[in-house]
Amino acid sequence: MMPVEVDNVGTRCSRLLLLAHLRKVVLQDVATLVDLHDPDCDYNQHHIFHASVFKGELFYRFRNELGECPTTAASPIVEGLATNTPAIRHQFHSLNSRLSALDNRFDAELLRQPDQSTKCGVNYN
């Protein structure tokens, strides 16, 4: 069996792209955790928060801008429901209208038929 050669350049590039993406997540998390005051866990005391990258003017501006953003994001499921709810509601309304029309036709057909409740001397009511 021949050894498989690993594309080291591709692997390194992929790793760098992942780290570039994760740096955004880490910066957002740190900016949020620094302001979080949890009596069970004081995040400010962790040594990573004392790194110079989290002490500069650029990070403070980022933290302030992040604080102005909404703190919650809608889940994709909720967004999907909000988008599709009018169409679903329209379908239910249409279905309800058709069922009502069928019910009215059924009632009208029953009224046109002779009274069957006393047939053979048995009262079915």
Side-chain angles (χ1 to χ4, degrees), residues 96-112:
N96 187 38
S97 297
R98 290 192 315 233
L99 286 174
S100 293
L102 282 173
D103 189 43
N104 289 339
R105 282 183 20 209
F106 181 74
D107 287 345
E109 186 65 31
L110 283 177
L111 290 175
R112 275 189 258 153

Side-chain angles (χ1 to χ4, degrees), residues 12-73:
R12 280 185 251 152
C13 285
S14 296
R15 185 174 293 148
L16 286 174
L17 288 172
L18 175 65
L19 290 174
H21 174 71
L22 288 178
R23 78 167 164 41
K24 297 173 193 172
V25 175
V26 169
L27 285 172
Q28 290 172 353
D29 287 352
V30 170
T32 303
L33 290 174
V34 165
D35 293 331
L36 188 65
H37 300 290
D38 186 351
D40 296 328
C41 185
D42 192 5
Y43 294 104
N44 287 323
Q45 299 305 314
H46 196 278
H47 69 277
I48 197 166
F49 294 113
H50 298 288
S52 61
V53 70
F54 302 124
K55 297 292 182 187
E57 179 63 31
L58 189 59
F59 179 74
Y60 287 124
R61 271 192 289 149
F62 172 76
R63 197 171 101 194
N64 289 337
E65 287 176 16
L66 188 66
E68 294 170 3
C69 294
T71 57
T72 59

